[in-house]
Amino acid sequence: MDKHELQHVIEDLYEKYAPVSDGAVATYIPELGKANPEDFGICLVSADGRIFETGNCDQSFTIQSISKPFTFGMAIDELGHDRVFQRVSVEPSGEPFNSIQLESGTNRPFNPMVNAGAISVTALLHSKNGNQTFEHILSRLSGAAGRQLELDECVYRSESSTGHRNRAIAHLLLNFGMVHDEAEEALDVYFKQCSILVTCRDLAMMAATLSNMGRNPVTDQHVFDHRCVKDVLSIMFTCGMYDYSGHWAYRVGVPAKSGVSGGVMAVVNRQMGVATYSPRLDKYGNSVRGVSTCSDLAARLGLHAFDLMNSGSSFLDTVL
Ligand code: DON
């Protein structure tokens, strides 16, 4: 059978970007420094569940910050907008992901994609789910991936024993009443959610679940309500790539989220999920090959939200 056009495209991108060795593997969490810098995977999953992949798509790595859009979606789903927005804003911070800065006036973290916001969101989930919070997060992320995910105990311990800055952020939030008294327990859940093991294929499937309005396209499990998917994608679009988010929106033009272990997950609304894995990071904490691959893919396929090839709302098509 002839190779699918999308398979050709990702193999071509793999060949083009595999020789790039710029950037450095994150070492601020000692366990992350053990990653193989040469690993490189690209995977696409269409909103109807077809999988295209090349490179190291079976290699496990920790999800890190790519857990943040999912916990934000869970919080909206389970606690409602009003309670969530009392504890976190939706404004790009223009600051690095671990910045110790809150919105003046409200003392809320700027958005749920920076650490302060993600810790605040996890504390909200903890206020509802207590000591079951991590299992609950693991179960919903597993639903999005379409298989049972697991915790990397070594990364979790490494993260917890060196996470002094996150501990400082949690206590600052506690000082301002943004997290409840069990801040330490909530922080522990945050360290665990970052230490969930995924593959590049898992991330593409999770992205495809978001692209398919919250329904996993392979298992057909309804994981997220479509209303919270809209909120999740909006925040990913404006804040998902840290202080590179404006450049990303301009160059790539689709909602995305990166993590310090080298994953990038992007969502083409109603069409497909995209994921890359390559552990060398740029100065913003985004995967170097991941950013180049996604930019190039978006340009080749016309994925940018405002691309000429993107004809926009099919609803308007039918009524105008
Ligand atoms: O909070 C941390 O330091 C990490 N566990 C997660 C950070 C992360 O992935 C930020 N990414 N670029």
Side-chain angles (χ1 to χ4, degrees):
M1 212 171 69
D2 282 348
K3 211 186 265 183
H4 193 282
E5 184 59 28
L6 285 177
Q7 187 65 33
H8 275 295
V9 171
I10 60 172
E11 286 178 15
D12 194 42
L13 292 171
Y14 182 93
E15 292 304 320
K16 182 169 173 187
Y17 294 110
V20 174
S21 61
D22 299 338
V25 175
T27 52
Y28 79 101
I29 299 168
E31 274 296 307
L32 295 185
K34 295 181 179 168
N36 178 357
E38 293 310 326
D39 278 347
F40 185 25
I42 307 173
C43 183
L44 312 179
V45 177
S46 65
D48 60 2
R50 281 169 296 161
I51 301 173
F52 305 93
E53 61 185 38
T54 188
N56 306 106
C57 289
D58 283 314
Q59 176 62 48
S60 294
F61 54 93
T62 50
I63 189 167
Q64 296 296 336
S65 285
I66 304 174
S67 60
K68 293 172 181 174
F70 295 101
T71 48
F72 175 61
M74 286 175 63
I76 298 273
D77 211 9
E78 297 175 23
L79 293 121
H81 284 98
D82 293 349
R83 282 196 63 194
V84 174
F85 291 128
Q86 282 165 5
R87 299 297 171 87
V88 64
S89 186
V90 290
E91 204 57 37
S93 68
E95 293 283 329
F97 68 90
N98 58 3
S99 160
I100 303 186
Q101 202 184 3
L102 302 176
E103 192 178 66
S104 70
T106 69
N107 295 320
R108 291 177 305 175
F110 277 90
N111 65 69
M113 301 295 108
V114 291
N115 289 6
I119 293 168
S120 190
V121 163
T122 299
L124 269 174
L125 290 173
H126 186 269
S127 69
K128 177 168 181 285
N129 298 292
N131 61 13
Q132 289 305 304
T133 310
F134 175 66
E135 280 65 31
H136 183 50
I137 292 173
L138 187 63
S139 152
R140 287 195 80 173
L141 267 62
S142 297
R147 73 175 184 102
Q148 183 58 49
L149 301 176
E150 282 169 16
L151 175 72
D152 184 325
E153 287 282 349
C154 293
V155 172
Y156 159 59
R157 267 186 250 113
S158 188
E159 181 123 21
S160 174
S161 61
T162 58
H164 310 305
R165 199 176 169 100
N166 283 329
R167 210 157 266 122
I169 291 172
H171 283 267
L172 184 69
L173 292 169
L174 181 59
N175 174 65
F176 286 117
M178 286 294 127
V179 301
H180 59 92
D181 291 344
E182 288 157 359
E184 283 288 342
E185 284 89 333
L187 185 65
D188 191 57
V189 175
Y190 171 76
F191 290 140
K192 283 186 175 161
Q193 79 182 53
C194 290
S195 307
I196 293 173
L197 281 167
V198 289
T199 64
C200 185
R201 189 183 310 114
D202 290 329
L203 286 184
M205 190 62 74
M206 294 164 94
T209 297
L210 294 175
S211 83
N212 192 35
M213 295 176 293
R215 193 179 283 278
N216 182 300
V218 172
T219 64
D220 208 36
Q221 183 185 342
H222 195 181
V223 189
F224 288 104
D225 184 84
H226 64 91
R227 283 165 294 214
C228 69
V229 170
K230 178 180 160 209
D231 292 337
V232 167
L233 295 182
S234 306
I235 296 295
M236 286 168 63
F237 195 72
T238 51
C239 309
M241 301 299 279
Y242 302 106
D243 34 339
Y244 188 71
S245 296
H247 281 82
W248 177 277
Y250 179 77
R251 281 180 66 189
V252 189
V254 296
K257 187 73 200 82
S258 65
V260 283
S261 50
V264 176
M265 172 186 88
V267 178
V268 187
N269 195 30
R270 310 291 285 272
Q271 294 177 66
M272 68 175 173
V274 176
T276 60
Y277 172 57
S278 172
R280 289 197 198 93
L281 309 180
D282 62 20
K283 63 176 178 179
Y284 303 103
N286 298 322
S287 166
V288 174
R289 286 176 180 153
V291 169
S292 300
T293 302
C294 291
S295 310
D296 205 331
L297 183 74
R300 289 190 200 198
L301 303 183
L303 303 181
H304 194 295
F306 311 118
D307 194 281
L308 185 64
M309 282 150 68
N310 192 329
S311 66
S313 166
S314 53
F315 171 73
L316 288 181
D317 273 354
T318 60
V319 294
L320 287 178

